[in-house]
Amino acid sequence: MPTLTSPRAGRAAAVAAAALVAASAVLVPQTAFASVDEPGGAQRHPGDATDDLRASIVDGPARNVILLIGDGMGDSEITVARNYAYGAAGQLPGIDALPLTGQYTTYSLFKDGANAGKPDYVPDSAATGTAWSTGVKTYDNAVGVDIHGTPHDTLIELAKANGLRTGNVTTSEIQDATPAVQVAHVAARSCYGPDSASCGTDALEQGGLGSISEQLLDTRPDVTLGGGSASFTQTAKAGQWQGETLFDQAVDRGYQVVGDADGLDAVTAADQNAPLLGLFTPGNFPTRYAETVATAGGADGEAVTCEPNADRLDTRLSLASLTEKAIGLLDDPSSDRGFFLQVEGASIDKRDHSADACGQIGETVDLDEAVQVALEFARTDGETLVIVTADHAHTSQIVDSTPPGLSIRLRTVDGTDMLVSYGTSPAGGSQQHTGAQLRVAGYGPGAANLVGLTDQTDTHYTIAEALGLSRDRAALSAGATVTLPKSSFEPGEEFEVTLGGFAGDRQVGAVLASDPVDLGRTDVLSGTATITATAPTEEGAHTLTVTGAQSGVEVVVPFDVAAGGEPGGPVTGGPGAGAGAGGGPGGGSSAAGWVDGLASTGAAVAPWLAAALLLAGAGTVLVLRRRRRAASARIPAGMVSGH
């Protein structure tokens, strides 16, 4: 890592020094001081650890946060993997190395009926992910919305609005629940792409925000890595990119699209001008180990040793490698702003559902390697909070004898056998999630807030507070400006409009009036954007109104249309009386009505879009569609067909 030269370097060095003291106590070698059958031989903390624990408590704020999620990784799944790969007296070098540990509750809520708003004790990944991404409890199946259908800002959305770089990495389809909760707001987690029937009123053609894949492109993280390319071959059914595939749309909107390890290696920078979209499989990633499914009476059989999966991706696409790549692209020591990165090991859950012990173990080991990468960076950086946790508990249990349900016998690194049971579904069924509390562990500034018993929603606020994130989108866009090149234009003259200061927004809408002409939606890149407009043919006084889609901040700039329009100088307008104030979650009202942008998902959109739809019905809307920038030449081969 380059030498830090910013004013924060002194504090970073002090924080790193304190954290290293704690790490030295936690990361003891696996070699035991004595045999485990001797007094003290199995002890994990020889001596008094009080001073080391004190040294591990580091005040915030944090410059960066890396959140690592093991999907379905309960305490039992951690123990199964540790026993198999490192032995009962060993430790997972990443997951077990975090010095500050707590437990959190994960229950979801019932959406409706007699139990509406009451606890649902066994949650799914959509509800649990929404809890930490938005700080709001919701119902199973919901992504980024509460039980009333109201969207709430996610950590990635808030981090972007506050000027931080953002990343989203997974071994699943990028549309799967855990990665989706950071970038989308839909009532049904299966709303993957424009062809998904489950989208209902969330579909663009129904006036909603669109499918998860389409909303991902709107949210625009700087780095997105995972599977799920199949959904991006689907074609938009409404909006400015209607008729184009989502891959074409991504290229039109400036994304760097890659589909293999070589393509990823070639990417040396990613930001809002050229965000990275790396999709390496049509669906989920293949697992590290070949499948070994538990069977009825399986623990009575021969002991199994896990074998490598011949279909596993290039190791340059392992979760650890993707984590390292994402950190390298997001970290910018020369900037005064840091980053937020979410990383998911997705198939611990998926293989647990299938009673596949080796698949589950390999995915836990993969996540552990990613945690090691994050910790190595954090120890060097000194200002990074690393959090490792899971979304929900799962079925697998270590048992003493063959149970009546499904089971398997595994030969561990200790040279002895471990019996693992899957008892919540018969053979061929899907093993169930369970409702137990989960481990949450941390390292770095603010990690002490994880200690004790917390709730999953606490993690959202721990991260937001560590990063100092403002939730007031209208305030973040209060300095918005709209600049016209001059005050008077000839009829039909084309001109460019420059926008600045829309930090609280990801998109803006623009309308020319007197005779209303909608100019469509424009992506906001780090608070700035450029809109191409054409002056009305009718001479006289007109206005251009630009509205932040998320903040509701509105800027109205007057101009004239006259034959032989005078050159003049630039004209700049700022928020007027109609600008939103205190919008967004935790703030006051917003002209957009967005507790993030909708009154209820699929039911209403920001005012500028609602107006555009009305104008379209009257036949007076002109949508300025982007020109395709040689999209077919810029999308990697193999990503547009056969998925």
Side-chain angles (χ1 to χ4, degrees):
M1 179 179 174
T3 301
L4 299 176
T5 56
S6 66
R8 68 185 180 89
R11 179 182 181 275
V15 172
L20 281 169
V21 172
S24 66
V26 177
L27 299 176
V28 295
Q30 291 184 33
T31 303
F33 294 102
S35 174
V36 294
D37 64 351
E38 297 177 7
Q43 190 176 6
R44 291 187 182 272
H45 287 286
D48 189 342
T50 305
D51 288 341
D52 295 324
L53 181 59
R54 286 195 187 101
S56 71
I57 298 174
V58 180
D59 292 341
R63 173 179 166 82
N64 313 303
V65 173
I66 305 173
L67 172 64
L68 298 106
I69 304 293
D71 199 310
M73 189 181 71
D75 283 347
S76 184
E77 284 70 31
I78 293 172
T79 309
V80 168
R82 184 194 302 115
N83 286 354
Y84 180 84
Y86 292 95
Q91 68 172 26
L92 291 159
I95 293 170
D96 290 335
L98 293 109
L100 297 168
T101 303
Q103 294 274 306
Y104 68 26
T105 51
T106 66
Y107 64 92
S108 56
L109 301 178
F110 288 104
K111 179 184 179 183
D112 43 34
N115 289 327
K118 294 181 179 179
D120 180 350
Y121 298 111
V122 181
D124 77 345
S125 295
T128 54
T130 296
W132 76 67
S133 70
T134 70
V136 178
K137 289 282 190 186
T138 191
Y139 61 94
D140 292 355
N141 200 37
V143 170
V145 299
D146 62 25
I147 63 172
H148 310 293
T150 303
H152 294 267
D153 277 325
T154 74
L155 285 167
I156 280 184
E157 290 168 343
L158 287 171
K160 277 176 51 68
N162 282 266
L164 278 70
R165 294 169 294 283
T166 58
N168 200 2
V169 176
T170 184
T171 56
S172 73
E173 295 165 303
I174 200 66
Q175 305 86 359
D176 204 9
T178 301
V181 298
Q182 292 290 358
V183 297
H185 307 272
V186 294
R189 59 182 288 181
S190 58
C191 176
Y192 272 26
D195 294 345
S196 299
S198 61
C199 290
T201 54
D202 287 320
L204 281 177
E205 64 270 25
Q206 297 296 322
L209 291 175
S211 66
I212 292 168
S213 298
E214 290 166 300
Q215 290 189 53
L216 184 158
L217 295 177
D218 286 345
T219 302
R220 205 177 180 93
D222 297 284
V223 176
T224 301
L225 302 172
S229 62
S231 294
F232 279 79
T233 65
Q234 297 175 20
T235 300
K237 293 178 169 52
Q240 290 167 267
W241 290 276
Q242 183 176 354
E244 291 189 18
T245 70
L246 302 193
F247 270 132
D248 288 339
Q249 181 185 151
V251 172
D252 284 351
R253 297 172 77 170
Y255 280 83
Q256 303 175 79
V257 179
V258 301
D260 56 30
D262 289 340
L264 184 61
D265 284 347
V267 176
T268 58
D271 55 24
Q272 285 300 284
N273 291 316
L276 171 61
L277 178 63
L279 301 177
F280 307 105
T281 53
N284 303 314
F285 283 19
T287 57
R288 182 188 194 113
Y289 291 141
E291 185 178 59
T292 54
V293 177
T295 59
D300 287 333
E302 292 291 324
V304 172
T305 300
C306 299
E307 298 292 338
N309 184 359
D311 295 328
R312 190 186 185 199
L313 299 181
D314 189 311
T315 55
R316 290 177 292 169
L317 300 177
S318 70
L319 189 60
S321 296
L322 295 182
T323 301
E324 184 174 22
K325 182 71 174 185
I327 292 171
L329 293 171
L330 295 173
D331 181 45
D332 181 3
S334 67
S335 172
D336 62 351
R337 302 293 178 90
F339 65 82
F340 170 71
L341 170 63
Q342 177 176 292
V343 176
E344 182 202 21
S347 287
I348 304 168
D349 167 82
K350 299 179 192 308
R351 302 327 304 158
D352 213 331
H353 276 302
S354 298
D356 173 11
C358 283
Q360 168 191 320
I361 289 168
E363 294 306 287
T364 309
V365 172
D366 275 0
L367 178 69
D368 186 73
E369 291 175 351
V371 174
Q372 293 176 56
V373 169
L375 284 173
E376 181 180 0
F377 170 79
R379 291 184 195 113
T380 303
D381 173 74
E383 290 192 300
T384 298
L385 169 61
V386 176
I387 299 175
V388 179
T389 189
D391 50 356
H392 54 74
H394 221 304
T395 288
S396 64
Q397 292 291 323
I398 303 168
V399 296
D400 193 43
S401 60
T402 304
L406 308 181
S407 61
I408 189 170
R409 179 181 294 267
L410 298 170
R411 182 65 49 83
T412 74
V413 71
D414 287 322
T416 55
D417 293 349
M418 175 173 62
L419 279 56
V420 181
S421 167
Y422 296 86
T424 60
S425 181
S430 179
Q431 301 298 315
Q432 299 178 39
H433 298 174
T434 58
Q437 64 193 39
L438 296 171
R439 180 199 293 197
V440 55
Y443 171 96
N449 292 303
L450 305 172
V451 173
L453 181 64
T454 62
D455 183 73
Q456 213 155 37
T457 53
D458 284 293
T459 305
H460 171 87
Y461 298 101
T462 293
I463 293 171
E465 290 167 12
L467 292 172
L469 301 182
S470 169
R471 300 171 182 277
D472 191 338
R473 285 186 171 275
L476 291 168
S477 287
T481 60
V482 176
T483 301
L484 309 185
K486 55 186 179 178
S487 60
S488 182
F489 301 90
E490 294 202 29
E493 181 180 351
E494 187 174 280
F495 60 95
E496 284 197 345
V497 183
T498 303
L499 279 60
F502 280 92
D505 294 283
R506 299 188 299 279
Q507 287 83 33
V508 294
V511 176
L512 282 173
S514 306
D515 186 15
V517 177
D518 177 62
L519 301 184
R521 183 179 63 174
T522 300
D523 288 326
V524 176
L525 312 181
S526 301
T528 66
T530 301
I531 298 173
T532 300
T534 301
T537 56
E538 178 187 354
E539 296 189 22
H542 298 271
T543 59
L544 172 67
T545 301
V546 178
T547 305
Q550 285 74 41
S551 70
V553 167
E554 183 180 274
V555 179
V556 180
V557 185
F559 64 95
D560 293 322
V561 173
E566 299 178 4
V571 178
T572 299
S589 62
S590 166
W594 171 267
V595 182
D596 204 62
L598 292 180
S600 62
T601 151
V605 292
W608 60 266
L609 183 53
L613 292 171
L614 291 173
L615 291 168
T620 59
V621 173
L622 171 64
V623 176
L624 300 183
R625 295 186 58 191
R626 277 71 170 158
R627 288 183 173 273
R628 183 172 303 179
R629 291 175 284 177
S632 60
R634 295 176 58 189
I635 298 175
M639 295 186 70
V640 295
S641 62
H643 298 309

